[in-house]
Amino acid sequence: MIEICYRDEFLVAVNKPAGWLVHRSWLDRREKIVVMQTVRDMLGQHVFTVHRLDRPTSGVLLLALSAEVAHTLSGQFEQHRVKKTYHAVVRGYMEGDGTIDYALTQELDKIADKFAQPDKAPQPAVSHYRGLAQVEIPVAIGRYPTSRYSLMELTPQTGRKHQLRRHLSHMHHPLIGDSTHGDLRQNRGFARTFDCSRLMLHASRLELAHPVTGLPLVIDARWDQTWQNLVERFHWNGILPAYERVEFAAVTGQDMATFI
């Protein structure tokens, strides 16, 4: 089972668990559990992707219930008419509000993007951030006797691959658990100290116009237990009460020979 955040006759939004793929590809044939198949089995009907979340990222994922609605929603995402809000835990003290305007070169996958142009010019990338809370822990993970972390609210204005991860790394405040652009020593120490080895990035909210009615639609996805445990340990309770406390039901296996 997977938590449904919103559902009507045209679309459904779910709270994607960290570590889940949205759908299988020919590169992921052995994956037993994917979001699309789980949701399809729950609803008893086909679903269509309209955007994506990286595998280690948790949070709100929107799916269409028809090809026509999928086309409309995909257009909204492509035209940047959907506001996305993320929450994250980063290394160090990152306070106040600000904007990161830093162009990013295209990240290419060695297999999936082997025919893509490798020398494409950097693409404009803009992210907005807001520091919500900070904490200093008397644990030496790096070269200092204490470790500092910040709870951040992030809003990408553009949609480049791994944009938030790369922008935070550029600011020297890498995301905790980011194995690609983060601090490996910090990730290992954090996992050992706080029993948390996942990427601390959560897609908390989508704001868009309903693809059929045109009315404003706001969809929220609450934090999972890993997030909740960390929030409590860092005494960040009550800062974002709308996102606190959710438990996911046990996940059952799926037929790995069945593909979306």
Side-chain angles (χ1 to χ4, degrees), residues 93-256:
Y93 277 3
M94 196 171 182
E95 302 174 286
D97 299 358
T99 297
I100 306 170
D101 188 346
Y102 180 70
L104 298 172
T105 56
Q106 187 177 16
E107 280 194 341
L108 299 177
D109 184 271
K110 291 182 180 180
I111 298 176
D113 299 318
K114 64 180 179 180
F115 298 114
Q117 182 180 347
D119 55 352
K120 191 174 182 179
Q123 300 171 304
V126 179
S127 303
H128 306 288
Y129 67 86
R130 182 164 69 101
L132 300 176
Q134 295 75 38
V135 67
E136 185 169 10
I137 304 295
V139 174
I141 291 179
R143 56 180 174 172
Y144 301 106
T146 62
S147 300
R148 294 178 172 182
Y149 304 102
S150 296
L151 175 64
M152 305 298 300
E153 185 171 279
L154 308 168
T155 306
Q157 183 174 316
T158 52
R160 310 305 177 195
K161 185 176 182 180
H162 294 170
Q163 177 175 311
L164 295 177
R165 302 199 215 179
R166 298 171 73 185
H167 270 174
L168 289 166
S169 179
H170 171 70
M171 296 291 287
H172 305 293
H173 292 288
L175 274 163
I176 296 300
D178 186 349
S179 60
T180 306
H181 303 284
D183 182 331
L184 181 58
R185 180 171 60 178
Q186 183 68 231
N187 292 342
R188 288 174 175 171
F190 197 92
R192 181 176 61 251
T193 304
F194 304 110
D195 191 28
C196 176
S197 57
R198 57 161 288 189
L199 178 71
M200 292 306 296
L201 180 65
H202 181 75
S204 303
R205 170 173 287 191
L206 290 179
E207 300 176 58
L208 65 152
H210 192 284
V212 177
T213 68
L215 295 174
L217 180 61
V218 178
I219 306 172
D220 290 311
R222 296 176 292 169
W223 293 329
D224 58 25
Q225 197 60 51
T226 299
W227 261 91
Q228 185 63 29
N229 291 343
L230 204 62
V231 165
E232 292 176 356
R233 183 154 187 180
F234 288 171
H235 302 291
W236 289 342
N237 314 61
I239 295 174
L240 294 168
Y243 296 108
E244 292 186 17
R245 290 181 297 277
V246 63
E247 294 182 4
F248 293 106
V251 176
T252 57
Q254 295 176 347
D255 182 359
M256 61 187 294

Side-chain angles (χ1 to χ4, degrees), residues 4 8 20 30 50 55 125 155 165 175 187 240:
I4 294 179
D8 61 26
W20 283 37
R30 296 185 179 181
V50 297
R55 180 173 187 161
T155 306
R165 302 199 215 179
L175 274 163
N187 292 342
L240 294 168

